[in-house]
């Protein structure tokens, strides 16, 4: 059955789907890429911004064009690229290191133990690279695996081998450090649905019961921020090129097919490259399908919605079976593969940085001289953020820059500012800066609190009385500016503000000392020591004004209570509207008959 790929025919062979060129030279069939794991922390939500990558060719080139190589990022930021098929029709053992700083390749100095096209490269937590499966004409579909040690720059075979032959498998590091290996093709001409785990601690493989819904040859496999593994695309003879996707859940060790709108890839793809971006999305590039042939298109998988999103930008050239790896700075390297012509690409391209989206959010914790400025940054790669603020949109002040991790839905970046002026309106905005440049959030305003007036107590002073000895009368107390009373007395005092004045009347009376207290005399305690006790007789409350006030008092505390002849003390105090109390003034007087 002719598929037109590489001017070749996909024909049944011992491998079932090995592509053979019209010249008789065997060619490979897919890329297996690095599933780069990048930890992403959550925060303050913001509108989702486009994080669409753009692709740019870089100067460095492979020494020999490679179809379906493998690629993995090393701890020092360099990328190991090895294996694949050469244009001469042989599986490669050669390996090279790509240095993003110089954008050039250099030989590793050692080779793979076994020549492999269509292997899967996976960066392990300890820095080593696991290389599993693949194909070569001599040994056919491989169950072997090997490790690359970046410290010694050497390869060695793993102690154990996989439980199945896996040409064109998918593999991804789980959050517990083990590696899920799934799908592929074997000598029995079967499209594998099986899966197994590689344990770096024991250097061995363990078969697991979980199986894919369908067999997949040359799918992508990438670990998502939530720990699940996306397995999508690929090929089998029943469905042909695939767009469907499944998720592996390590918690239940099971696969679940994605359903609903957006749950399938935008294009059917096998032999695609993929890498996890710093914001958690999966970038899927290139590949092949029978309708469009070799692809230069790309798309994204969004783990928050479990849907695929179209990408308008394209690779600089068609790449069937490229390798891809996420660089330390967040860009993605794409290398190798082939176009519609029988040419194995030596060229390399990288995604460019996408401008971060900065969103200013309303300020919080606003005080007299401080506030918390809030905002969020949505970015494909890690960036920095700071705030500009001031009393006008010219701002004039800025906070220190802080690092912000990449995020799909916006990562919060709050900061407190101090030494503000009370009762003042301030403008502020968040500023995000990354590899693509600077972006600005919208201007927001807040107003600091107005400094409250510190309450002060009223001042009551200069208390006097017109007579110290007087007779009682019948009138109740009242405020007057001039006292004209025939009997009684006039209490006068000065106030600095309007307040409520209390006149408290007390009298000393005889008593008996009982258990340290002066109590009222009774028949039972009349032999105890004599003492004097202060008796509160009543209170007169009056609304007084600021200035000098006069209280005409004829002995009546209320309509039912009148002071009898005797000696008394009046205590005068004031309380204002805020509850503040004045000091007290005391006057002594005597009422006679």
């Amino acid at each position: 059955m002719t598929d037109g790929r590489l001017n070749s025919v996909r024909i049944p062979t011992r491998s079932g789907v090995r592509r053979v060129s019209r010249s008789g030279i065997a060619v490979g069939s897919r890329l297996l890429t690095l599933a780069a794991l990048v930890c992403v922390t959550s925060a303050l939500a913001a509108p989702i911004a486009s994080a669409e990558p753009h692709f740019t060719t870089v100067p460095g080139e492979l020494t020999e064009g490679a179809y379906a190589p493998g690629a993995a990022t090393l701890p020092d930021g360099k990328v190991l690229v090895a294996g694949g098929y050469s244009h001469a029709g042989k599986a490669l053992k050669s390996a090279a290191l790509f240095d993003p700083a110089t954008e050039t390749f250099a030989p590793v100095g050692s080779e793979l133990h076994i020549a492999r096209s269509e292997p899967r490269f996976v960066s392990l937590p300890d820095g080593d690279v696991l290389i599993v499966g693949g194909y070569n004409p001599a040994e056919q579909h491989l169950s072997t695996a090997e490790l690359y040690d970046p410290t010694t720059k050497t390869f060695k075979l793993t102690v154990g081998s996989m439980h199945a032959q896996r040409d064109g498998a998918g593999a991804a590091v789980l959050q517990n450090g083990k590696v899920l290996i799934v799908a592929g093709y074997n000598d029995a001409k079967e499209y594998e649905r099986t899966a197994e785990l590689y344990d770096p601690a024991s250097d061995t493989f363990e078969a697991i019961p979980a199986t894919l819904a369908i067999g997949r040859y040359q799918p992508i496999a990438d670990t998502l921020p939530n720990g699940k593994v996306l397995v999508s695309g690929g090929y089998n003879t029943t469905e042909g090129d695939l767009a469907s996707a499944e998720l592996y859940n390590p918690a239940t060790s099971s696969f679940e097919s994605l359903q609903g709108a957006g749950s399938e890839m935008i294009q059917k793809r096998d032999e695609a490259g993929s890498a996890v971006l710093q914001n958690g999305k999966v970038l899927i590039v290139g590949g092949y399908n029978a309708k469009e042939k070799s692809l230069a298109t790309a798309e994204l998988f969004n783990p928050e919605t479990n849907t695929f999103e179209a990408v308008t930008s394209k690779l600089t050239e068609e790449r069937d079976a490229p390798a891809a790896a996420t660089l330390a700075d967040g860009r993605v390297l794409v290398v190798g593969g082939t176009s519609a012509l029988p040419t194995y690409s030596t060229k390399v391209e990288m995604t460019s940085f996408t401008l971060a989206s900065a969103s200013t959010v309303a300020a919080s914790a606003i005080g007299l001289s401080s506030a918390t400025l809030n905002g969020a940054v949505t970015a494909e790669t890690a960036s920095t953020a700071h705030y500009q603020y001031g009393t006008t949109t010219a701002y004039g002040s800025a906070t220190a820059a802080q690092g912000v991790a990449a995020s799909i839905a916006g990562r919060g970046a709050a900061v407190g500012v101090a030494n503000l002026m009370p009762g003042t309106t301030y403008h502020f905005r968040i500023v995000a800066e990354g590899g693509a440049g600077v972006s600005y959030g919208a201007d927001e305003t807040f107003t600091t609190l107005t400094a409250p007036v510190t309450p002060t107590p009223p001042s009551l002073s200069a208390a006097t009385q017109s007579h110290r000895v007087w007779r009682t009368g019948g009138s109740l107390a009242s405020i007057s500016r001039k006292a004209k009373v025939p009997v009684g007395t006039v209490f006068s005092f000065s106030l600095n503000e309007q307040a409520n004045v209390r006149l408290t009347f007390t009298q000393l009376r005889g008593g008996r000392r009982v258990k340290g207290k002066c109590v009222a005399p009774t028949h039972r305690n009349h032999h105890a020591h004599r003492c004097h006790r202060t008796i509160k007789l009543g209170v007169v409350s009056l609304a007084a004004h600021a200035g000098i006030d006069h209280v005409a008092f004829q002995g009546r505390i209320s309509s039912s209570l009148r002071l009898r002849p005797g000696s008394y003390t009046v205590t005068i105090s004031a309380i204002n509207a805020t509850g503040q109390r004045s000091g007290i003034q005391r006057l002594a007087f005597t009422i006679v008959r």
Side-chain angles (χ1 to χ4, degrees), residues 150-162:
T151 303
T152 61
K153 296 185 178 180
T154 57
F155 296 86
K156 68 176 181 179
L157 291 172
T158 58
V159 172
S161 293
M162 293 187 291

Side-chain angles (χ1 to χ4, degrees), residues 84-430:
Y85 253 106
S86 73
H87 188 65
K90 66 176 183 177
L92 298 172
K93 298 175 68 176
S94 59
L97 293 176
F98 177 77
D99 187 345
T102 61
E103 297 183 346
T104 58
F105 285 92
V108 170
S110 59
E111 294 184 332
L112 294 166
H113 273 268
I114 299 173
R116 302 171 189 267
S117 70
E118 306 141 29
R120 171 65 81 175
F121 281 30
V122 179
S123 296
L124 300 177
D126 65 1
D128 286 356
V129 176
L130 175 68
I131 301 159
V132 297
Y135 175 88
N136 70 49
E139 300 172 67
Q140 300 292 300
H141 308 90
L142 302 173
S143 62
T144 57
E146 47 191 292
L147 293 167
Y148 173 75
D149 184 341
T151 303
T152 61
K153 296 185 178 180
T154 57
F155 296 86
K156 68 176 181 179
L157 291 172
T158 58
V159 172
S161 293
M162 293 187 291
H163 291 264
Q165 296 167 331
R166 297 186 188 274
D167 172 17
V173 179
L174 304 179
Q175 290 182 341
N176 63 5
K178 294 184 178 181
V179 180
L180 174 72
I181 306 165
V182 63
Y185 194 77
N186 60 36
D187 284 347
K189 302 180 181 180
E190 297 169 332
Y191 296 93
E192 287 284 353
R193 296 173 55 207
T194 62
E196 52 191 290
L197 295 175
Y198 171 74
D199 186 350
S202 63
D203 198 21
T204 57
F205 297 84
E206 172 195 358
I208 60 175
T211 58
L212 291 163
I214 57 174
R216 295 177 186 269
Y217 176 61
Q218 307 156 345
I220 65 164
D222 298 279
T223 302
L224 306 175
N226 61 13
K228 295 182 180 181
V229 178
L230 170 71
V231 180
S232 64
Y235 174 89
N236 66 48
T237 52
T238 303
E239 288 93 353
D241 298 303
L242 302 170
S244 61
E246 304 181 43
L247 291 179
Y248 174 74
N249 187 344
T252 59
S253 188
S254 61
F255 288 93
E256 173 192 359
S257 296
L258 291 181
Q259 304 289 335
S263 63
E264 292 193 344
M265 293 195 295
I266 307 299
Q267 287 180 289
K268 295 180 178 181
R269 297 175 192 265
D270 68 88
E271 303 179 354
S274 65
V276 180
L277 304 178
Q278 285 188 355
N279 64 6
K281 289 187 177 182
V282 179
L283 175 65
I284 304 165
V285 295
Y288 178 91
N289 67 46
K291 182 178 180 180
E292 289 97 349
K293 312 306 178 187
S294 297
L295 302 173
T297 56
E299 55 189 280
L300 292 165
F301 178 78
N302 187 333
E304 291 196 346
T305 59
N306 283 343
T307 57
F308 292 88
E309 303 169 354
V311 172
T312 57
S313 58
K314 294 183 178 182
L315 296 167
T316 59
E317 60 181 273
E318 295 172 344
R319 291 183 186 267
D320 174 13
T326 303
L327 303 178
D329 63 10
R331 293 177 294 173
V332 174
L333 174 75
V334 183
V335 59
T338 185
S339 65
L341 298 175
T343 302
Y344 294 173
S345 179
T346 61
K347 295 182 179 180
V348 179
E349 54 189 295
M350 287 192 290
T351 58
S352 58
F353 290 111
T354 303
L355 190 66
S357 172
S359 302
T360 313
V361 181
S364 60
I366 301 169
L368 291 171
S369 59
S370 63
T372 297
L373 309 183
N374 298 309
V377 177
T378 302
E380 177 187 331
T381 59
S383 57
T384 63
H386 69 275
Y387 290 87
Q388 296 174 332
Y389 66 99
T391 55
T392 69
T393 52
Y395 305 109
S397 297
T399 64
Q402 57 178 296
V404 182
S407 175
I408 298 173
R411 190 164 299 278
V415 65
V417 291
N419 300 319
L420 306 178
M421 295 181 292
T424 303
T425 297
Y426 283 86
H427 294 258
F428 74 101
R429 66 179 177 182
I430 189 171

Side-chain angles (χ1 to χ4, degrees), residues 497-518:
E497 62 176 304
Q498 182 177 323
N500 187 51
V501 174
R502 293 166 57 91
L503 287 77
T504 303
F505 295 91
T506 61
Q507 185 178 42
L508 282 178
R509 293 185 182 177
R512 296 290 187 268
R513 179 82 52 189
V514 177
K515 296 181 180 181
K517 295 182 180 181
C518 188

